[in-house]
Amino acid sequence: LWESMTVQWQRFAKGTLVAPVHSPFSAGGGATAACASIAGQARYLVAEGFNAVFVCGTNGESFSCSLAERKAMLEMWMSTEEVRAKKLRVLAHVSCLAPPETVELARHAAALGVDAVSYMVPCFFKPVGDAAVAKMLADFALAVPTTPVLFYHFPDMTGVACSMERVLVAAREAAPNVVGAKFTHNDLADMQASIRAGFDVLIGSGDELLLPSLVLGTA
């Protein structure tokens, strides 16, 4: 158990399986009407040995969904029997291009009781340099000070190159609820440095990096 004055975080055990779940869409293209299928996803994932879900991430097509759709999907995940029975932990990706909308989704997720929220820096008007990225991450984390925050490090998608380890360390100094990252990159030295600095790291780079990442200490 990772604990500070403001936040508690149950660290990931070795071999934790986190599913980057797909968002359901109806034939008409909307996500809200298809939310009922999430209950089936939850049952299937637990039966297959998964321990957690990453909701509205890249696989979840979050940036193609409205705020209302993203809220509805997260609410459905939180209402499933598997989540209520603590068979699945919920990590909610909440980033939007507009920072106020990011905070709105984060506070909605926090009110629902998610295990953590995940933050990705904006990919249009971008921060430049480690210090700027760390400040954006810390400012976001301070908006939900009692909810654990994971930095979603995906430079190929955001176009923002940075040292994840330096960003996490600097952000944690200002916001102690910054507890780790989802790492979708190939700089394994940076990933290992983050782990050695005390952060939980989930690997998101696909099968080719899964085994070496597990050896280096990711979940």
Side-chain angles (χ1 to χ4, degrees), residues 90-112:
V90 176
L91 316 175
H93 176 235
V94 297
S95 297
C96 305
L97 287 180
E101 292 184 348
T102 300
V103 171
E104 180 181 339
L105 287 180
R107 288 175 173 163
H108 171 260
L112 292 174

Side-chain angles (χ1 to χ4, degrees), residues 77-157:
W77 274 108
M78 294 303 294
S79 72
T80 62
E81 293 182 13
E82 290 72 18
V83 170
R84 289 190 283 112
K86 300 192 181 302
K87 295 178 181 179
L88 282 176
R89 299 172 70 179
V90 176
L91 316 175
H93 176 235
V94 297
S95 297
C96 305
L97 287 180
E101 292 184 348
T102 300
V103 171
E104 180 181 339
L105 287 180
R107 288 175 173 163
H108 171 260
L112 292 174
V114 299
D115 292 275
V117 293
S118 175
Y119 174 77
M120 177 186 284
V121 294
C123 54
F124 189 71
F125 291 114
K126 304 178 180 71
V128 178
D130 296 342
V133 176
K135 185 178 187 309
M136 291 193 76
L137 174 60
D139 287 348
F140 164 78
L142 289 171
V144 282
T146 61
T147 299
V149 170
L150 300 172
F151 176 48
Y152 195 171
H153 184 49
F154 197 170
D156 285 349
M157 195 64 81

Side-chain angles (χ1 to χ4, degrees), residues 158-200:
T158 63
V160 176
C162 64
S163 163
M164 186 173 78
E165 183 261 343
R166 288 197 290 268
V167 165
L168 289 172
V169 169
R172 184 174 59 185
E173 290 178 357
N177 55 324
V178 174
V179 299
K182 183 178 180 184
F183 178 81
T184 307
H185 194 32
N186 57 13
D187 186 347
L188 297 184
D190 189 25
M191 182 196 72
Q192 187 177 39
S194 301
I195 294 168
R196 287 177 172 171
F199 295 99
D200 269 357

Side-chain angles (χ1 to χ4, degrees), residues 22 39 45 48 75 103 113 129-130 135 147 160 193 209-210:
H22 294 281
L45 290 171
E48 291 296 312
E75 288 166 7
V103 171
D130 296 342
K135 185 178 187 309
T147 299
V160 176
L209 291 180
L210 180 59

